Amino acid sequence: MTQLVEPGRLSPTRRAVRTVLRSRELAIAIVLVLLVAAATLKTNSFLFSPNSWRDLLLTPSILIVLAVGQAVVIITRNVDLSVGSVLALTAYLSGRLFIAAPDLPVVVVLLAAVGAGAALGLVNGVLVGFGRVPALVITLGTLYIYRGVVLTWAGSSRVNASDLPASFLALGTRTIGPVPVLTVVALVVLAVVGYYLHTARGGRELYAIGSDPDAAVLYGLPVRRRVVGAFVLSGALAGLAGILFAARYGTISSGAGVGLELQAVAAAVIGGVAIFGGSGTVWGAALGAVLLVTINRALPILGIPDFWQQAVVGALILGAIVLDRVLSLRNARRLVEAREA
C-alpha cells in the first residue's frame, strides 16, 4: 500500500528540494548561466579563450569580499556606504608600507590593512549602535571623510607597481591549479562568514535584530554589540579588499574604489538580501556580485549600449526590492490566516 505524505509533513529530501527550487540564489544562478551562454554564442572567446575562465573567476573577487561584508550589515537593517573609501585608504596604506619598508612581510601588511579597515568600521558601528544615528547618514558622512583622508594623504601622487614587491604583486596573478589566489581568498571569506551566520548563535541573532530590532531589545539580545560587530566585519573585509585591490592592479591612487560601495549594496540586494533586514544569505550576495561583473562584460559583447547596461542593473535592483516586499506581505498575510484558522 502506498503511504501518503501529508502536505505539512514532507520528507527531508523533498523539503530540501523545495527549498532549493524556491531559493533566490537558484534564480540568480540561472540568469547568470543564461547570460554567459548568450555571450558565448555571440563570441566563443567570451568563455573559451585561454584566459576567459581565469578572468571570469578573478574579476568578481574583490566585489565578492565587499558584498559579503555589506550583506551582514544589511541583514541587521543597516547599510555601509563607506566601504569604497575604506578600500582606497587601506590599499594606499599597503602601498606606503611597502615603500617605507620594502622587506616587510606580506602577512604584516595584510594584517595592518585588515586592522585599519576594522578600526574604521568600528567608528561606523559605534556611531550607529550607540549614537543611534541612522546608518545611511553616518556611513554617507564617513564615506566623504575617509575619501578626504586619502585625497589629502595621496594628493596627486600614486603608488606604482614598481614600488611594490614582486612577491606581493604575484598574488594578483598566481593561481592554485586553475583557480586564481584572489578567488580562493574570496571563497574562503564567503565560506567562513556564511557558516557563521547559519550555525553560530551570534549569526542567528543578526537575523533576529534585522527582522525586528525593538523585539530583539525586549528579548534581551545584545543589539548594539551585534550591530557594532557587523560594521567591524564590514570594515575589516573592506580592508582585505583594499590589499587585494593593490595586489590585483598594482597602481593605487586616491580614486581607488570609487563607486564600489554602491556596487556592493547592489550585489547584496540583487542576491536576495532584503534591504529591510532580517533575511538573505552571503551566498546570494556573492552570486549578485558575479552577476553584476558578468553583466558589465557580457552586455557590450551583445551589442547593448552603455546606457542600457546601467538600466539593466537598476531594473534588477528595483525588481529585487519589489520582490522582497511582495514576499514579506504574502508571508504576513499567511501568518494572519494561520492565526485565524
Side-chain angles (χ1 to χ4, degrees):
M1 181 180 294
T2 304
Q3 183 178 3
L4 297 178
V5 179
E6 296 180 12
R9 300 177 59 186
L10 297 176
S11 66
T13 302
R14 292 183 63 184
R15 192 182 303 116
V17 171
R18 176 175 290 188
T19 300
V20 170
L21 292 178
R22 290 181 175 180
S23 68
R24 289 275 292 277
E25 291 85 353
L26 179 62
I28 299 167
I30 291 174
V31 172
L32 181 61
V33 169
L34 292 176
L35 183 63
V36 171
T40 304
L41 290 175
K42 186 74 174 180
T43 170
N44 289 335
S45 61
F46 182 82
L47 193 60
F48 297 112
S49 65
N51 294 323
S52 58
W53 273 106
R54 176 180 172 277
D55 291 340
L56 200 61
L57 294 173
L58 180 60
T59 307
S61 300
I62 296 173
L63 185 56
I64 288 174
V65 174
L66 290 176
V68 168
Q70 192 69 247
V72 175
V73 173
I74 294 177
I75 285 171
T76 66
R77 201 178 287 194
N78 290 290
V79 68
D80 187 355
L81 297 180
S82 68
V83 291
S85 299
V86 174
L87 179 148
L89 188 53
T90 53
Y92 194 77
L93 170 66
S94 303
R96 298 306 304 183
L97 286 175
F98 279 124
I99 292 174
D103 296 329
L104 200 63
V106 174
V107 175
V108 174
V109 178
L110 172 64
L111 293 176
V114 173
L120 297 175
L122 178 62
V123 173
N124 291 333
V126 169
L127 292 174
V128 173
F130 291 91
R132 297 189 177 183
V133 182
L136 180 65
V137 176
I138 291 296
T139 58
L140 182 62
T142 54
L143 178 156
Y144 288 108
I145 293 172
Y146 298 160
R147 181 66 64 178
V149 172
V150 180
L151 289 170
T152 303
W153 188 9
S156 59
S157 64
R158 63 181 183 180
V159 176
N160 298 308
S162 58
D163 300 322
L164 303 176
S167 58
F168 175 70
L169 292 174
L171 294 176
T173 57
R174 188 176 299 165
T175 60
I176 299 176
V179 183
V181 170
L182 298 191
T183 304
V184 173
V185 172
L187 292 177
V188 170
V189 168
L190 176 63
V192 171
V193 177
Y195 181 80
Y196 174 79
L197 286 178
H198 288 275
T199 60
R201 177 178 177 177
R204 305 312 302 172
E205 288 179 350
L206 292 175
Y207 283 97
I209 291 167
S211 297
D212 194 333
D214 295 332
V217 172
L218 293 175
Y219 190 73
L221 298 182
V223 175
R224 292 179 179 177
R225 192 174 69 197
R226 295 302 182 201
V227 169
V228 171
F231 276 100
V232 169
L233 176 62
S234 178
L237 292 182
L240 175 61
I243 198 168
L244 297 182
F245 182 95
R248 173 77 172 90
Y249 298 105
T251 301
I252 311 161
S253 67
S254 58
V258 171
L260 280 180
E261 57 279 336
L262 297 181
Q263 292 186 40
V265 173
V269 172
I270 291 172
V273 181
I275 197 65
F276 305 106
S279 66
T281 65
V282 292
W283 321 105
L287 282 172
V290 176
L291 180 60
L292 282 180
V293 173
T294 306
I295 284 174
N296 292 333
R297 291 186 58 202
L299 294 190
I301 293 175
L302 298 175
I304 298 177
D306 291 342
F307 168 79
W308 289 109
Q309 295 173 33
Q310 301 299 320
V312 167
V313 174
L316 287 174
I317 295 172
L318 291 177
I321 293 174
V322 170
L323 179 60
D324 285 334
R325 188 60 178 166
V326 169
L327 293 177
S328 177
L329 293 175
R330 187 176 69 176
N331 290 336
R333 186 169 61 252
R334 286 180 175 178
L335 287 174
V336 172
E337 293 173 353
R339 289 172 184 171
E340 293 176 351

